[in-house]
Amino acid sequence: MIDDLRRLALTVLQPGYDGTSAPGWLRRALGEGLGGVVLFARNAIDAPLVASLRAENPAAVIAIDEEGGAVTRLEVQAGSSFPGNRALGVIDDVRLTERVGRQIGRMLAETDITLDYAPSADVNANPANPVIGVRSFGPNPDLVARHTAAYVKGVQGAGVAACAKHFPGHGDTVTDSHLALPTVHASREVIAERDLPPFRAAIEAGVRAIMSGHLLVPALDPDLPATLSRAVMTGLLRDELGFDGMLVTDAIEMRAVAAMFSPGEIAVRALAAGVDAVCVGHTTEDGLYEIRDAIVAAVREGTLPEERLAEAAGRVLALSSWYAERPALREKACADLDQGVGLEAARAALTTHGDAVLDQAPLIVEVNTRLSQAVDPATPTGVTAALAAVLPGTGVARMEPGGELPPFDERPVVLVVHDAARHDWVRETIARALRERPDVIVVDTGVPAEPAGAAHVATHGISRVSAQAAAEWLTR
């Protein structure tokens, strides 16, 4: 009986690990029934790595955050081949979004990855949002809903499961849940009209998984974050919206919930609330088994019904079976290379003002290229590299918040900024540069402010192709 419980408890866990090869403890856990693994850029992801994990447990759900744009794991060093959600929302061509989703699914199919923790279905209603921003298709619920559905259809049409996140919606927050618990100060009516339509659309599109957000939403539950709330996870998502797929937590080491409870307590509470899979982005052998043992103890003590744990494990295995039944879709997708779609989208998403053209190597000032906690620190904004490829001799200087602009010389000056709409000090830096050099060119890779400079380019995303599109326009 205890062995069965331990296996069930392992089935609902999806841990990450450090290092470029899977450690022995992870392989052993997979052999004992560990239900999944989440991969990060630090793991040097490729098909042989995934094959080695599947050799221990063919039914394991191998998951990854591959949103495109700012959040990429497979293309973190060079930057994504796809411009990201906001760029797609700016274009507002659902067929193009589905094509992008299919090609992201194709990349994962080639690596034999089961589940993409994407798309972000959040409506970025608050321009000050520090962690969603360009990861959202935009601030309009209908826009986000139709592109969420298109992205889901694209990924799943390639035989890979998609996962809409971060339920019930992380868009109207001013706190990064990696760092603290955000609160959504909105009425139930506003949430229903603004935040839920993209999740309804994802469910209607057949999305196989939904990820919870570590958010306090007092209108839905005044006491507990959504991940730990039965009212939100079961009452709203299951009973009201009718979702019957796999429900997975956002990473439980995020401070929004980790500051409240131990990992084992978080897992037990999430499962009791209606969650099926627990994502543990950073853990160790001891940490994994402590969570497993906490779940087993909760069942034995009667605080977590065994039927609930069995139901959760069943949904994890159902997602695994869905994937196993679609090799033909993956084979077809792998043969269906739509190589230029990312650059096509990046070019279409550019918003430009002014007519300045670069005909000599500039000085690029990277003003605020440290991004949110969701973005791997190695991810480049890419504009410097893209311009240097066209204009050899391009120089670069990097500013810190509150820092001073470098001295300007006779070279053209390009300021690369991110989310100027969100940062007073970035807008002030642009204004200061323009007083000194009215011919400054501004490239914003995030949510832009009002255009400023001799030329202003908004890419609406961080990716290799977004940077290339901007460089093309500036050197046209």
Side-chain angles (χ1 to χ4, degrees):
M1 180 63 172
I2 296 299
D3 285 344
D4 288 346
L5 275 182
R6 286 175 179 154
R7 180 169 285 273
L8 283 177
L10 280 173
T11 300
V12 302
L13 301 181
Q14 296 183 358
Y17 62 92
D18 288 328
T20 55
S21 59
W25 63 263
L26 184 72
R27 295 176 185 278
R28 287 192 297 274
L30 284 164
E32 295 166 4
L34 179 65
V37 177
V38 56
L39 299 175
F40 293 89
R42 63 181 186 260
N43 302 135
I45 305 158
D46 57 18
L49 170 68
V50 175
S52 74
L53 298 173
R54 292 202 183 280
E56 305 294 341
N57 180 1
V61 171
I62 311 299
I64 194 171
D65 280 290
E66 193 63 40
E67 298 178 15
V71 178
T72 176
R73 307 301 184 219
L74 292 175
E75 299 188 292
V76 68
Q77 291 182 332
S80 178
S81 301
F82 310 98
N85 284 6
R86 185 180 177 89
L88 295 170
V90 166
I91 303 163
D92 195 15
D93 178 346
V94 291
R95 290 169 298 180
L96 183 59
T97 295
E98 186 170 348
R99 283 171 62 198
V100 167
R102 179 172 176 79
Q103 290 304 300
I104 291 174
R106 178 184 177 276
M107 276 201 313
L108 304 191
E110 287 183 326
T111 317
D112 200 16
I113 289 172
T114 317
L115 172 63
D116 190 3
Y117 288 154
S120 167
D122 306 294
V123 177
N124 198 56
N126 193 327
N129 195 311
V131 70
I132 301 301
V134 292
R135 299 169 65 199
S136 165
F137 290 110
N140 178 280
D142 292 338
L143 173 83
V144 176
R146 60 179 174 265
H147 286 278
T148 294
Y151 188 109
V152 167
K153 290 174 185 174
V155 171
Q156 294 193 169
V160 174
C163 178
K165 61 187 184 185
H166 306 81
F167 188 83
H170 206 321
D172 185 16
T173 61
V174 293
T175 303
D176 183 343
S177 52
H178 293 82
L179 305 175
L181 178 62
T183 300
V184 177
H185 299 285
S187 68
R188 194 177 182 98
E189 292 72 24
V190 167
I191 291 164
E193 293 174 6
R194 180 191 65 194
D195 298 311
L196 297 186
F199 293 99
R200 292 185 187 275
I203 293 166
E204 289 171 8
V207 73
R208 303 308 305 175
I210 288 179
M211 177 179 282
S212 68
H214 299 323
L215 314 161
L216 186 65
V217 189
L220 303 177
D221 187 326
D223 301 315
L224 289 170
T227 297
L228 311 180
S229 169
R230 189 162 181 83
V232 178
M233 296 293 97
T234 296
L236 179 57
L237 182 55
R238 298 287 191 206
D239 299 342
E240 195 171 319
L241 271 60
F243 178 63
D244 194 39
M246 190 189 82
L247 175 52
V248 60
T249 70
D250 208 343
I252 65 168
E253 73 274 13
M254 293 165 65
R255 296 300 297 165
V257 289
M260 301 175 70
F261 304 108
S262 69
E265 181 79 0
I266 293 167
V268 168
R269 286 174 173 263
L271 289 162
V275 165
D276 305 306
V278 179
C279 173
V280 195
H282 290 270
T283 194
T284 60
E285 180 176 12
D286 288 347
L288 177 68
Y289 287 110
E290 283 172 11
I291 296 171
R292 179 204 66 181
D293 291 347
I295 294 169
V296 170
V299 173
R300 294 181 68 191
E301 292 162 6
T303 54
L304 176 64
E306 184 175 351
E307 297 77 15
R308 170 78 274 272
L309 178 59
E311 177 186 54
R315 288 205 182 101
V316 173
L317 294 173
L319 187 143
S320 175
S321 296
W322 179 93
Y323 180 83
E325 292 163 1
R326 284 161 176 77
L329 280 183
R330 291 189 292 279
E331 185 177 350
K332 186 174 186 300
C334 287
D336 182 20
L337 177 60
D338 191 357
Q339 193 162 15
V341 68
L343 183 57
E344 176 187 337
R347 288 168 174 158
L350 283 187
T351 305
T352 60
H353 293 82
D355 57 3
V357 175
L358 288 172
D359 56 7
Q360 59 179 300
L363 170 65
I364 295 179
V365 184
E366 296 184 350
V367 175
N368 63 325
T369 52
R370 287 188 178 181
L371 307 170
S372 82
Q373 295 286 314
V375 180
D376 190 291
T379 305
T381 51
V383 176
T384 300
L387 279 173
V390 182
L391 299 170
T394 292
V396 62
R398 292 180 177 87
M399 279 184 62
E400 295 293 327
E404 291 299 316
L405 285 161
F408 296 152
D409 50 31
E410 71 282 355
R411 291 176 293 178
V413 176
V414 178
L415 296 189
V416 178
V417 305
H418 184 70
D419 281 353
R422 191 163 65 85
H423 297 291
D424 291 341
W425 75 269
V426 170
R427 296 193 300 276
E428 290 163 4
T429 299
I430 294 170
R432 196 161 71 245
L434 283 169
R435 286 195 293 271
E436 193 170 334
R437 284 285 296 270
D439 62 342
V440 157
I441 292 168
V442 178
V443 178
D444 196 324
T445 62
V447 180
E450 288 297 311
H456 184 277
V457 180
T459 64
H460 304 284
I462 298 167
S463 69
R464 178 177 53 78
V465 288
S466 299
Q468 182 180 338
E472 288 176 352
W473 189 84
L474 287 171
T475 58
R476 64 198 184 279

